[in-house]
Amino acid sequence: MRTRRALLTLLVALPLLGGCLGRALPVPPPTATIQSITQCPMLDCPEGGLVVTLTGTANARALVTALDEEAPRGPDGEYLSGVAMANELGRWSITLAPRQFTPGTVSAVQPGHSIRVFQVTPDGDASSSFYVSVPRM
């Protein structure tokens, strides 16, 4: 009787343990390409800068973040960044436009910058980063 009970317990526990013991695959980074690049108007960007639109694919309904770690940061250390939610097909689009953090300080994408792109799935799993280089003009 004890052997049957132990066997039954083991048969019930194995599928539950298998889920815990199995290794989850890492979340791949989203794909990202530069869709368009336009010059920032001189009034908005006295030191020059670009408006960059990125598009790509990610997991459905994932939050995709694009950030320029090379652009000047804001007073609280914030990056020039953008966030979008991928649609049901995984498509997304983000435009990184210049941002004035304080009077006289404009953060803008510049030629040669690398833009970091990553995704966070609806389950909260983050991907590794993918980098897109802004061409020098």
Side-chain angles (χ1 to χ4, degrees), residues 10-41:
L10 183 62
L11 288 175
V12 169
L14 272 178
L16 297 175
L17 288 175
C20 294
L21 297 176
R23 183 181 163 117
L25 294 174
V27 176
T31 65
T33 58
I34 295 175
Q35 186 67 34
S36 67
I37 299 174
T38 57
Q39 290 288 333
C40 177

Side-chain angles (χ1 to χ4, degrees), residues 1-13:
M1 185 71 155
R2 262 187 163 165
T3 306
R4 281 188 198 167
R5 186 174 291 167
L7 185 58
L8 181 61
T9 302
L10 183 62
L11 288 175
V12 169

Side-chain angles (χ1 to χ4, degrees), residues 31 55-62 64 84-94:
T31 65
T55 60
T57 58
N59 290 12
R61 292 185 298 267
V64 179
M85 180 177 280
N87 67 15
E88 295 290 325
L89 300 175
R91 294 188 182 124
W92 58 271
S93 177
I94 295 173

Side-chain angles (χ1 to χ4, degrees), residues 34 54 66-71 79-80 96 109-117 130-136:
I34 295 175
L54 302 163
L67 56 115
D68 183 351
E69 297 171 318
E70 298 174 63
Y79 290 106
L80 178 63
L96 291 179
V109 176
Q110 300 292 332
H113 281 193
S114 290
I115 298 172
R116 178 179 168 205
V117 183
F130 179 78
Y131 290 87
V132 178
S133 294
V134 178
R136 297 191 184 274

Side-chain angles (χ1 to χ4, degrees), residues 43-44 46 74-75 78 80 97-108:
L43 279 175
D44 296 332
E78 63 265 33
L80 178 63
R99 181 173 170 203
Q100 183 173 350
F101 287 115
T102 60
T105 305
V106 176
S107 181

